[in-house]
Amino acid sequence: MLIQRTVVSAGFLLILSAGLCIAKPIENEMNQKIDDLLSQMTLEEKVGQLHQIGGSFATGPDFKNDANREALVRNGWIGSFLNIVDLGYMRELQRLAVEESRMKIPLMFALDVVHGYKTIFPVPLAQAASWDPDLIEKAERVAATEAAASGIHWTFAPMVDIARDPRWGRVMEGSGEDPCLGSRIAEARVRGFQGEDLSAENTILACAKHFAAYGAAEGGRDYNTVDLSELVLREVYLPPFQAVVDAGVASVMNSFNVVFRMPASANALLMNQILKGEWNFQGFVISDWNSYGEMIAHGVAADKYDVACLAMNAGSDVDMQGYVYIDALIPAVKDGKVAEERLNDAVRRFMKMKFKLGLFDDPYGYINPERMKNTLMIKPFQETALKLAHESIVLLKNENHLLPVQKKIGSIAVIGQLADSREFRDMLGNWCAMGDMNDVVTILQGVKKKVSRHTKILYAKGCEAFGQCPDSLIQEAVIAAEESDVVLLALGENGFMSGEATSRAYIGLPGDQIKLAKAVHATGKPIVLLLMTGRPLTIPWCHENIPAIVNIWQAGTMGGQAAADVVFGDVNPSGKLPVTFPLTIGQVPLYYNALNTGRPVGPDGNPHFRSAYIDCPNDPLYPFGFGLSYTAFEYSDLILSSVKIGMNDVLTVRVNVRNTGKRDGIEVVQLYIRDLVGSVSRPLKELKGFERVPLKAGESRQVEFHLTSDALAFWSRSMTFEAEPGDFKVFVGGSSADVLEENFTLE
Ligand code: NOJ
């Protein structure tokens, strides 16, 4: 791995991961207590610890809504709940567990805190566009603080799946298509959630999901078959998981898909061999929502008994909402099909986290209405949400410097249902936990706060929800546009169009929003398109015809304010795409770190007998790493410390970056490599490092990266992770498609 500013970063990581370890005597004491408990527990009570069910609401199908919850807790047949958010009810269930059950083992409460608990941050894909792991870590600490003050011990986040297919709705929950960026962000999220002390008031357990290769679903259809090589699994999909294990993540969630024809929840290669073996993962593994039960539909098990044996023996520890362990694990253990020591291991792993959370010392510690009231949505949290929303915004086009708009402008039309919506999670985005649409600053509100009191604001909805645009609304929008000096047009997806189970076969603007865009365009007024989305959209017409395009994604509670700050120039956009935006759906999957093929298209672009389309270019609309600024950056003097390095050397890569414009700005400087000849074919480019570089107008800085042979290593033909001697290219620039390049040799 390439480490920027080597010494500082390496030290930082060491200190943090050391912080996650409990000092030996405490660890010993904890293990002793767990062994004591285990020696007294019945088989039923052990299995009960591994049984998790849903509470007040469902986040999956076939929700049983168990009326028997209290009795289960009293009997010690339940170890944790998901989806309970009522403090009073949490207290009552906890009381039953620690006062009325035989073993008095406290419960854990889990929730999907994916991009904030009450203060909602931009959707994770948008956050990744900031290329700012430090700020993301801070945001997750805010999320953990709010969640921990609301009775939550454990979040089902971060989602660290690499996603190369924008049809897959869950692309919105991760950090995009790149393993390097994805890993840096994934570990930052874990540090943010878990901190150095899991019993602290501002930390909760993290859960890396979905293990593994869930993002490779065929056709981008959620829950669909995954079919890949072990090399691609290890090179593309596993690195973020390994990074979070190294960062001390407490839990890992199985994915729904098969890997090598075996459902991930029963995949011994993934869990026993790689996760718990090669990576020495000390936490526990939880299934996804009934992913154990789904093994019967996958056709690898006939009944729950089979499933229980397969899952347990492959290394999956806790059953979410599957009722598989509770119904079938006890006979499987009694029959000797699952060793009791394996069951003990799963229970031990799980209970260890209850200790680390401090639940055995104070089971009610997280249930405190006063603390909750004083914690949620406080000003500094909103400020962090605003800052992350600023950094997430990506300027995609700005012809003739249409942006920023003058605050003193005479009149402005704000058009689009999404511009002032308080429904369908429009600005919040999916998986928004306790986020409340009423807390959202909409675009219209943001604009109103920003412009001079003489500016006339004309708002027209243009469409109904889900992009349905009747002619009458389009007509109103056209009139508003005609009366204005500039139009802000908010188009895109609502919050229910990305996330789980929201695959789309067409990824253009939903509904007939394009009709609205064309009608407004026909007025001849200058238009700024504010794109709201949880995934890459195909917008070739907009790119051709609309002079300014700003991707604000689904930017969270402070989204409208952040958008207005950018539109009116109080903030200079600095976001860069963490995922490729294709020109058309027919190019998908399209990602920057592809292989060359034997017949790449040459510089003349001629597709004849080349790996190309006869009806469309290969290039995306917006490449990975792309994003504009109100200023411009010039790269020069790419210099390597040597043209040859040995396996133990460090190559220093220096480049000059100059802000050539009249505004201060921030550039995300990206470093890529290409291994020219490998024992297996290597990608055209691979991101190995990046740095956010603030530059005042006119200022130049030399940016330095340090490359070690670790960064050049890959899964070779013999399936070993190693760097191979040979020639490399190194590229540095402000986008994967716009770089300077140099060469060096690894000896
Ligand atoms: C199913 C989703 O795949 C997973 O990401 C989520 O954490 C669980 N449901 C619980 O809500």
Side-chain angles (χ1 to χ4, degrees), residues 59 82-83 112 156 170 173 209-210 214 253 256 288-289 320 431 500:
T59 41
L82 79 154
N83 298 346
D112 291 283
F156 298 133
R170 306 201 80 167
E173 296 173 49
K209 66 188 188 185
H210 306 81
Y214 185 29
M253 185 187 292
F256 289 115
D288 201 344
W289 181 282
M320 180 201 294
W431 289 118
E500 188 178 353

Side-chain angles (χ1 to χ4, degrees), residues 200-217:
E201 287 200 345
N202 59 356
T203 59
I204 53 176
L205 302 187
C207 180
K209 66 188 188 185
H210 306 81
F211 193 61
Y214 185 29

Side-chain angles (χ1 to χ4, degrees), residues 407-473:
K407 290 179 192 163
K408 286 198 205 123
I409 193 152
S411 59
I412 187 163
V414 178
I415 295 177
Q417 174 265 343
L418 291 173
D420 196 34
S421 167
R422 296 204 176 277
E423 48 188 358
F424 306 114
R425 299 181 176 169
D426 282 349
M427 185 56 94
L428 293 180
N430 218 334
W431 289 118
C432 53
M434 295 299 109
D436 187 340
M437 285 304 296
N438 293 315
D439 293 330
V440 166
V441 181
T442 68
I443 293 173
L444 183 62
Q445 281 178 318
V447 171
K448 281 182 180 162
K449 276 207 213 137
K450 196 64 63 174
V451 291
S452 81
R453 41 192 186 96
H454 305 293
T455 304
K456 189 168 154 201
I457 302 175
L458 301 121
Y459 173 65
K461 223 171 151 190
C463 297
E464 299 292 358
F466 292 85
Q468 302 312 312
C469 316
D471 288 345
S472 55
L473 290 188

